[in-house]
Amino acid sequence: MTPRTTRRVGIDGPTGPLEVVLNVPEATPAGIALVAHPHSLQGGTLDNKVVQTLAKTFYALGYAVVRFNFRGVGGSGGTFDDGVGETDDALTVLAYARGALGDALPIALAGFSFGSFVQSRVAQRVQPQRMVLVGPAVRRFPVEHVPADTIVIHGEEDDVVPLADVLAWARPQHLPVVVFPGCGHFFHGRLPQLSRVIAGMWKAA
């Protein structure tokens, strides 16, 4: 991603403006990747390191990438709404991106922590090509069941969302979980590896 391919815009959201960053490749995009950030009241923003890693990974895969700040964060108006209003924010941003880039492009949904919860709700309303959930905040929030080909990645030593909770959520779905040994919630020191794993699994599908 370069300054030439990056656009930061404000769009009308359900409760005020929404701050949006688009990274659009110069060639025709392979699709639109919508990336959702972690908990708004715990420092989550579109500039979170895991969110940026997801964005860079999808951009390298040829996708137009759309990040945004949920309501009440950065330049986005409104107040935190436990994921309900944030789902509306995400759907609004996605509609904007599809209008700007093309309705026919496939949609990839990616989220980190609380953002994974929101994306599980978004997936009930759209038909994503595929999803990537990193450190999904299961049990902390009622994360929906997700498609069988969803990529789920979690740290073995996550002290925010215990791995056991993620496995309990995934088990009835027969959903594989990629575990990073010795890794915490924020993937410190493991972001390049996170990108490689996601890209490899995405290409192998």
Side-chain angles (χ1 to χ4, degrees):
M1 299 187 296
T2 67
R4 186 174 65 250
T5 61
T6 301
R7 302 202 310 258
R8 186 178 292 263
V9 300
I11 67 170
D12 291 332
T15 59
L18 289 172
E19 183 178 9
V20 180
V21 173
L22 301 95
N23 295 103
V24 182
E26 295 178 349
T28 301
I32 298 170
L34 181 72
V35 183
H37 70 67
H39 203 293
S40 306
L41 301 183
Q42 298 172 8
T45 77
L46 62 80
D47 292 317
N48 170 272
K49 295 296 185 184
V50 174
V51 170
Q52 291 190 58
T53 297
L54 288 167
K56 290 175 182 176
T57 302
F58 275 102
Y59 185 81
L61 289 166
Y63 283 72
V65 181
V66 188
R67 293 173 286 148
F68 64 101
N69 277 329
F70 288 129
R71 56 186 61 197
V73 177
S76 294
T79 57
F80 182 69
D81 193 32
D82 292 311
V84 177
E86 286 78 6
T87 302
D88 293 336
D89 295 343
L91 289 166
T92 299
V93 172
L94 181 57
Y96 165 78
R98 297 180 84 169
L101 300 168
D103 282 338
L105 289 173
I107 303 300
L109 300 177
F112 172 45
S113 196
F114 171 77
S116 292
F117 163 54
V118 173
Q119 294 290 41
S120 77
R121 290 172 53 86
V122 171
Q124 305 297 312
R125 305 274 292 275
V126 302
Q127 295 296 319
Q129 176 189 21
R130 201 174 182 193
M131 300 177 69
V132 176
L133 307 181
V134 178
V138 301
R139 293 198 67 176
R140 297 174 68 90
F141 297 94
V143 179
E144 304 279 354
H145 283 202
V146 294
D149 62 350
T150 298
I151 297 171
V152 181
I153 302 176
H154 208 77
E156 177 192 23
E157 298 179 359
D158 192 320
D159 60 351
V160 176
V161 183
L163 175 60
D165 289 352
V166 176
L167 295 176
W169 167 77
R171 192 173 294 117
Q173 303 180 68
H174 303 289
L175 186 67
V177 178
V178 178
V179 178
F180 275 38
C183 181
H185 187 65
F186 294 97
F187 289 79
H188 293 309
R190 308 292 285 275
L191 295 176
Q193 183 184 27
L194 178 65
S195 181
R196 290 194 301 271
V197 168
I198 293 170
M201 294 183 71
W202 196 271
K203 291 175 182 176

